[in-house]
């Protein structure tokens, strides 16, 4: 899956992984040696316990509008947000600043 920021015309990720099952969502990026982009659905928050690298995280509403951003979340941390949003995109650290992604931007997922 490819993810594009339609407002800024920037590429956020190629080969974005999609967690479709509870087990895939629960595992997330745990156990990976290298960062990757991962899309999944959850409410409330994420954690980076057991991860080997920092990540950026985008939280989106159902229209894929960015509602919360957290950059450079180090391993062994939490990130919580308002539970009305459930679409999550985890990205390699630095992706948000490199692409200029801001609150209110809209993402598009294509094959």
């Amino acid at each position: 899956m490819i993810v594009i920021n339609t407002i800024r015309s920037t590429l956020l990720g190629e080969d974005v992984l999609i967690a479709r099952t509870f087990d895939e969502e629960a595992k997330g990026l745990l156990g990976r040696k290298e960062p990757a982009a991962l899309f999944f659905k959850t409410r409330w928050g994420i954690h980076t316990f057991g991860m080997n690298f920092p990540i950026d995280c985008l939280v989106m509403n159902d229209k894929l509008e960015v509602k919360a951003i957290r950059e450079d979340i180090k391993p062994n941390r939490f990130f919580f947000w308002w539970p009305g949003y459930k679409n999550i995109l985890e990205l390699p650290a630095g992706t948000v600043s490199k692409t200029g992604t801001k609150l209110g931007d809209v993402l598009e997922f294509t094959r």
Side-chain angles (χ1 to χ4, degrees), residues 20-38:
R20 296 190 192 318
T21 67
F22 177 78
D23 288 342
E24 289 173 343
E25 290 172 356
K27 183 177 179 192
L29 297 173
L30 294 175
R32 295 183 72 87
K33 295 193 188 302
E34 296 291 324
L38 173 69

Side-chain angles (χ1 to χ4, degrees), residues 4-7 39 58-69 84-88 101-109:
I4 297 169
N5 181 328
T6 62
I7 302 299
F39 175 80
L58 302 177
V59 179
M60 299 157 288
N61 64 12
D62 288 336
K63 295 179 183 177
L64 300 180
E65 179 182 0
V66 178
K67 293 298 187 177
I69 298 173
Y85 307 127
K86 63 183 179 208
N87 296 299
I88 312 306
T101 300
K102 306 281 184 211
L103 292 176
D105 286 359
V106 178
L107 306 187
E108 180 179 305
F109 291 70

Side-chain angles (χ1 to χ4, degrees), residues 52-78:
N52 298 314
F53 43 80
I55 61 170
D56 290 350
C57 184
L58 302 177
V59 179
M60 299 157 288
N61 64 12
D62 288 336
K63 295 179 183 177
L64 300 180
E65 179 182 0
V66 178
K67 293 298 187 177
I69 298 173
R70 179 66 57 90
E71 296 181 67
D72 198 35
I73 306 171
K74 306 276 191 263
N76 305 315
R77 303 286 195 276
F78 289 104

